[in-house]
């Protein structure tokens, strides 16, 4: 597959990317950052070093990073800074303990060689362009990263990536606009009547606000051993339909206050039904319903609040966001979508809900509906029909990648590359399949010492522990000499130090 074909495929693929604002590739460990994370969604392994000289960044090209002029970069920075100055000082009441005035955004212009060429510091005090020596030691992220800057807990931002991803929330049910085109950027998004997430500056501000929640404000969340956001494959329509019915009833409860009790009763029915019929899925996604739900709530509240705002004005700004997120057929997209609408309903019905929320270990929907009596109803055929349609459409892209893994497993003449340590990794979707987690359309740059290898859109897999990444070298001519594997395929290319071994007649290269 050529990269041009992959770009087209990525524009159509349904994944959790959609809930994040269209084109962001989903990181392996999800967007929830750990204390040691240095980059957006980094795995527990250290972040990769900068690529070797001449190495290209496939994440940029394959997500269609647009060509921005110097003036457009500056306008985008001004737009993000406008949001930060107007909103971050108001964030205290949004969530207990948050202090966004301490944070800095280090916004980076990153070139095709994955080098930062310009950078700006953005805070509630304003913004300024940095001197080269001020950002020389900051690793450019594919999207965002955790960093300490000026002694403050901060975050990095890849401006070009954010511009390419700014197609608005919830594109899981519609074709994303071409991300290779130059977007329209405004410096005044914060003063618009409502937030426009197709504006790159507004999208970038929302992304930064969201990821800061994960980086610095969710240490209290308990992560169970069974936590997983992988979608079972083959796709199952029933659990996705149940969750869609729940979301639909919550939206009605938020927008039809006079019928709120009725809609919440139906919502409780769908929550109970899903948890009863799919108890393991409910247990697996529980952590992400909390972590991503709260982060989305905080993010969208930041897009809604203004100084000296009446309740009516707040509701007017919230209204477009309440129905903006559509779902695809991946499990974890739902965790984002439930966050804002449920948080708004909790604000209306249980104003003190945030106090001790994490300690309760309840999801937002569980807390909202715990005292509600279930009111049974039938599935809306329009909802179930939409799920069936999306499954059929999604499987056109997922099934071929799953088949490639099955074929590789059955054919011991296909060599494997195994990688134990890697930094940022992108993929189209993650699927619990047999005894594996299959990552479709994997995009990864291996550029540590002795590594100069690029993986541009092939299926890969891990074990259920999600640690060691296995890359089948399908249609990837390779040679091995002096402890170095050389690959000359269309999607896998470069060199990497590796140890050669044999497993059940299969050639296996273990990266060093």
């Amino acid at each position: 597959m050529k990269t041009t074909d992959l770009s087209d495929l990525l524009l159509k693929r349904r994944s959790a990317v959609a809930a994040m604002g269209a084109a962001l590739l989903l990181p392996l460990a999800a967007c929830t950052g750990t204390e040691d994370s240095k980059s957006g969604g980094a795995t527990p392994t250290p972040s990769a070093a900068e690529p070797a000289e001449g190495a290209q960044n496939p994440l940029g090209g394959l997500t269609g990073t647009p060509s921005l002029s110097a003036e457009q970069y500056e306008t985008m920075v001004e737009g993000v800074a406008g949001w930060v100055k107007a909103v971050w000082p108001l964030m205290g009441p949004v969530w207990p303990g948050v202090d966004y005035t301490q944070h800095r955004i280090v916004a980076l212009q990153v070139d095709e060689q994955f080098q930062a060429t310009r950078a700006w510091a953005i805070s509630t005090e304003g913004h300024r362009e940095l001197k080269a020596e001020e950002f020389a030691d900051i690793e450019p992220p594919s999207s965002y990263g955790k960093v300490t800057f000026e002694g403050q807990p901060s975050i990095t931002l890849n401006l070009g990536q954010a511009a390419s991803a700014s197609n608005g929330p919830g594109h899981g049910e519609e074709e994303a606009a071409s991300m290779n085109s130059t977007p329209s950027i405004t410096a005044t998004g914060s003063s618009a009547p409502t937030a426009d997430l197709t504006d790159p500056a507004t999208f970038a501000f929302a992304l930064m606000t969201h990821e800061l929640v994960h980086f610095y404000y969710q240490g209290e969340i308990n992560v169970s051993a069974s936590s997983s956001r992988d979608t079972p494959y083959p796709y199952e329509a029933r659990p996705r339909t149940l969750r869609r019915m729940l979301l639909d009833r919550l939206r009605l409860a938020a927008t039809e206050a006079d019928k709120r009790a009725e809609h919440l009763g139906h919502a409780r029915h769908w929550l109970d039904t899903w948890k009863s019929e799919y108890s393991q899925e409910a247990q697996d996604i529980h952590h992400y319903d909390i972590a991503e739900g709260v982060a989305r709530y905080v993010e969208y509240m930041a897009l809604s609040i203004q100084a000296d705002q009446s309740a009516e004005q707040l509701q007017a700004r919230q209204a477009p966001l309440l129905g903006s997120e559509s779902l695809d057929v991946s499990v974890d997209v739902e965790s984002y979508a439930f966050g804002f609408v449920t948080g708004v309903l909790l604000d209306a019905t249980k104003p003190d809900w945030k106090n001790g929320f994490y300690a309760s270990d309840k999801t937002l929907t569980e807390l909202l509906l715990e005292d509600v009596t279930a009111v049974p109803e039938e599935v809306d055929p329009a909802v179930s029909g939409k799920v069936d349609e999306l499954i059929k459409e999604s499987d056109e892209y997922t099934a071929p990648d799953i088949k490639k893994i099955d074929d590789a497993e059955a054919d011991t003449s296909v060599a494997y590359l195994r990688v134990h340590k890697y930094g940022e990794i992108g993929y189209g979707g993650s699927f619990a399949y047999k005894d594996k987690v299959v990552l479709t359309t994997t995009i990864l740059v291996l550029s540590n010492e002795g590594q100069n290898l690029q993986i541009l859109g092939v299926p890969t897999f891990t074990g259920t522990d999600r640690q060691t990444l296995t890359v089948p070298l399908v249609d990837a001519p390779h040679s091995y000499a002096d402890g170095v594997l050389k690959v000359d395929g269309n999607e896998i290319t470069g060199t990497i130090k590796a140890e050669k071994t044999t497993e059940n007649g299969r050639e296996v290269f273990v990266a060093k």
Side-chain angles (χ1 to χ4, degrees):
M1 189 189 328
K2 297 180 181 179
T3 56
T4 52
D5 297 329
L6 177 58
S7 295
D8 181 64
L9 182 150
L10 282 173
L11 291 176
K12 300 176 182 177
R13 185 177 296 278
R14 273 48 176 168
S15 72
V17 170
M20 289 297 293
L24 291 179
L25 293 167
L26 188 65
L28 184 56
C31 85
T32 302
T34 64
E35 286 302 308
D36 296 327
S37 297
K38 292 175 64 180
S39 54
T43 68
T45 55
S47 295
E50 291 185 6
E53 184 175 352
Q56 300 294 306
N57 170 31
L59 291 174
L62 291 176
T63 55
T65 303
S67 176
L68 301 182
S69 67
E71 292 76 18
Q72 285 177 309
Y73 276 109
E74 292 163 4
T75 300
M76 188 170 174
V77 169
E78 290 175 11
V80 175
W83 275 104
V84 167
K85 186 174 183 179
V87 174
W88 278 6
L90 310 176
M91 292 293 288
V94 171
W95 195 264
V98 302
D99 179 9
Y100 274 77
T101 64
Q102 67 179 323
H103 300 308
R104 308 287 187 268
I105 298 172
V106 181
L108 299 159
Q109 177 179 334
V110 181
D111 64 16
E112 292 183 352
Q113 281 68 46
F114 210 45
Q115 303 296 315
T117 58
R118 296 177 74 185
W120 294 260
I122 303 171
S123 72
T124 55
E125 298 174 356
H127 68 283
R128 65 181 181 88
E129 184 163 1
L130 300 178
K131 298 177 182 178
E133 57 268 24
E134 292 183 277
F135 62 90
D137 294 331
I138 295 178
E139 180 181 339
S142 293
S143 178
Y144 55 86
K146 186 178 182 181
V147 70
T148 298
F149 185 75
E150 295 180 340
Q152 299 297 323
S154 302
I155 189 169
T156 55
L157 167 66
N158 184 324
L159 290 164
Q161 168 61 20
S164 73
S166 56
N167 289 295
H171 280 73
E173 296 179 354
E174 55 192 61
E175 296 298 330
S178 173
M179 291 175 290
N180 290 312
S181 60
T182 301
S184 174
I185 304 173
T186 176
T188 58
S190 61
S191 60
T194 56
D196 177 10
L197 280 161
T198 65
D199 165 47
T202 299
F203 174 83
F205 166 76
L207 176 66
M208 296 293 92
T209 304
H210 181 109
E211 298 307 332
L212 283 167
V213 175
H214 294 318
F215 283 159
Y216 302 112
Y217 299 114
Q218 291 191 326
E220 303 171 60
I221 300 178
N222 294 320
V223 183
S224 68
S226 68
S227 294
S228 170
R229 62 200 299 174
D230 305 314
T231 299
Y233 189 87
Y235 291 109
E236 294 183 77
R238 175 68 174 172
R240 305 285 65 78
T241 299
L242 296 177
R243 292 269 267 180
R244 278 174 172 264
M245 289 299 298
L246 171 57
L247 178 62
D248 181 76
R249 278 14 185 192
L250 291 175
R251 284 175 171 164
L252 289 175
T255 56
E256 298 180 3
D258 58 328
K259 297 181 180 180
R260 180 165 293 165
E262 175 187 347
H263 296 316
L264 289 179
H266 291 150
R268 177 62 190 261
H269 167 71
W270 296 118
L271 176 65
D272 290 349
T273 303
W274 171 69
K275 291 177 70 174
S276 173
E277 295 184 17
Y278 297 93
S279 58
Q280 186 60 55
E281 178 179 289
Q283 181 179 344
D284 289 344
I285 203 65
H286 183 86
H287 164 75
Y288 299 104
D289 277 359
I290 296 172
E292 298 301 352
V294 169
R296 178 65 96 216
Y297 168 78
V298 172
E299 171 193 351
Y300 278 13
M301 282 298 292
L303 296 174
S304 303
I305 61 175
Q306 292 179 319
D308 303 319
Q309 187 180 47
S310 68
E312 292 75 17
Q313 289 170 327
L314 173 62
Q315 292 168 5
R317 289 182 64 83
Q318 288 175 331
L321 297 170
L322 286 171
S324 64
E325 292 186 277
S326 55
L327 303 180
D328 59 17
V329 289
S330 60
V331 172
D332 77 321
V333 169
E334 298 155 353
S335 298
Y336 299 87
F338 283 115
F340 185 58
V341 64
T342 311
V344 169
L345 285 167
L346 283 165
D347 287 340
T349 60
K350 300 182 178 183
D352 297 327
W353 70 275
K354 299 167 191 173
N355 298 326
F357 172 74
Y358 290 139
S360 74
D361 197 36
K362 296 174 182 176
T363 68
L364 286 81
T365 51
E366 288 172 338
L367 180 61
L368 173 69
L369 301 173
E370 63 180 352
D371 300 320
V372 174
T373 300
V375 178
E377 66 170 343
E378 297 298 318
V379 169
D380 184 342
V383 172
S384 58
K386 188 62 178 180
V387 171
D388 292 339
E389 176 187 334
L390 284 172
I391 285 178
K392 181 178 179 180
E393 184 178 310
S394 297
D395 212 30
E396 293 178 7
Y397 300 104
T398 304
D401 275 5
I402 297 290
K403 184 177 186 302
K404 287 179 183 178
I405 295 298
D406 279 342
D407 291 347
E409 286 280 81
D411 183 1
T412 57
S413 70
V414 175
Y416 283 170
L417 170 63
R418 293 225 171 96
V419 185
H420 295 289
K421 294 182 179 180
Y422 44 90
E424 288 180 288
I425 181 171
Y427 53 82
S430 62
F431 298 90
Y433 178 67
K434 296 181 178 178
D435 60 344
K436 303 175 179 64
V437 175
V438 175
L439 309 179
T440 59
T441 320
T442 307
I443 301 175
L444 176 65
V445 175
L446 296 171
S447 55
N448 287 321
E449 182 178 356
Q451 301 180 344
N452 187 15
L453 190 80
Q454 299 174 24
I455 298 167
L456 307 179
V458 300
T460 62
F461 64 89
T462 73
T464 54
D465 61 0
R466 300 176 67 90
Q467 296 299 312
T468 301
L469 182 72
T470 299
V471 185
L473 300 180
V474 178
D475 297 326
H478 58 276
S479 58
Y480 183 76
D482 300 323
V484 176
L485 173 67
K486 182 180 180 182
V487 186
D488 293 304
N490 287 330
E491 293 96 15
I492 308 173
T493 182
T495 60
I496 188 168
K497 288 184 178 180
E499 178 182 347
K500 181 179 178 180
T501 185
T502 301
E503 296 180 5
N504 300 319
R506 185 190 305 275
E507 223 176 25
V508 176
F509 301 93
V510 181
K512 293 183 177 180

